[in-house]
Amino acid sequence: MKRIGFLAVLAMCCMGCAKTGDSVPNVGVNFEASLSDPRLAALKTTGGAVVIDGYGVAGLIIYHSVYGYVAYDRCSSYMPQNKCAVTLDNPTLTATDPCSGSKFSLTDGTPVKAPATRSLKPYAVNTNTFEIFVSN
C-alpha cells in the first residue's frame, strides 16, 4: 500500500513539473501562391528568403536552400508564448529574434545563437512547375 501511495505522489509531482507554453502552438497553415508572385521574387535564387504575414502563429519564412524550399513559422522558439516574430538577417542565412537576440539558421531552423535551444517550427513545402504550397 505504501508503494502505491509513493507511486501516486511521484506521478503527481512529475505531472506538476511539466512545462506549458514552451513550444510554438499548432495552428493550421495552408499557404498557396504562384511562383511568379512578386512577393516571392527572392525565392528565384538559392539563398533567397521571403516573409509572408497572416499564416501560422507569427507569419511564415520561406527559404530557398541548396536542397530546395523550406518554411518555418516566424514565432521564435524561445519563450513562444510572447509570439515574437523573427526577422530575416542580411544576408538571408539566418533570422533573429528581436526580443531575445536568438539567431536561427534558415537551412534547417536550428538555433545558432543562445538563448534559444529549440529549432523554429517547420512546415511542409511542396512545389510544382508554377506554384508553391506550405502546410502542416
Side-chain angles (χ1 to χ4, degrees):
M1 189 64 154
K2 287 182 183 180
R3 188 174 190 169
I4 292 173
F6 174 75
L7 291 174
V9 170
L10 182 63
M12 290 164 86
C13 288
C14 290
M15 286 186 237
C17 294
K19 293 182 181 178
T20 57
D22 62 353
S23 62
V24 176
N26 289 321
V27 296
V29 172
N30 190 18
F31 172 77
E32 177 181 344
S34 168
L35 287 169
S36 62
D37 185 325
R39 297 177 299 166
L40 306 181
L43 296 178
K44 291 181 181 179
T45 59
T46 301
V50 297
V51 169
I52 304 293
D53 292 323
Y55 294 87
V57 174
L60 300 175
I61 290 177
I62 304 173
Y63 178 67
H64 186 175
S65 77
V66 295
Y67 306 107
Y69 297 101
V70 293
Y72 308 101
D73 201 296
R74 288 184 64 205
C75 184
S76 177
S77 63
Y78 181 75
M79 297 180 67
Q81 67 274 17
N82 293 343
K83 298 181 181 171
C84 194
V86 298
T87 58
L88 293 175
D89 296 331
N90 190 9
T92 56
L93 302 173
T94 56
T96 299
D97 174 351
C99 301
S100 71
S102 297
K103 281 190 179 286
F104 302 88
S105 167
L106 292 182
T107 302
D108 59 7
T110 57
V112 295
K113 181 181 174 195
T117 58
R118 289 185 306 274
S119 298
L120 293 173
K121 183 180 187 77
Y123 292 114
V125 179
N126 292 296
T127 59
N128 62 30
T129 307
F130 305 107
E131 294 181 304
I132 187 166
F133 306 91
V134 178
S135 62
N136 55 351

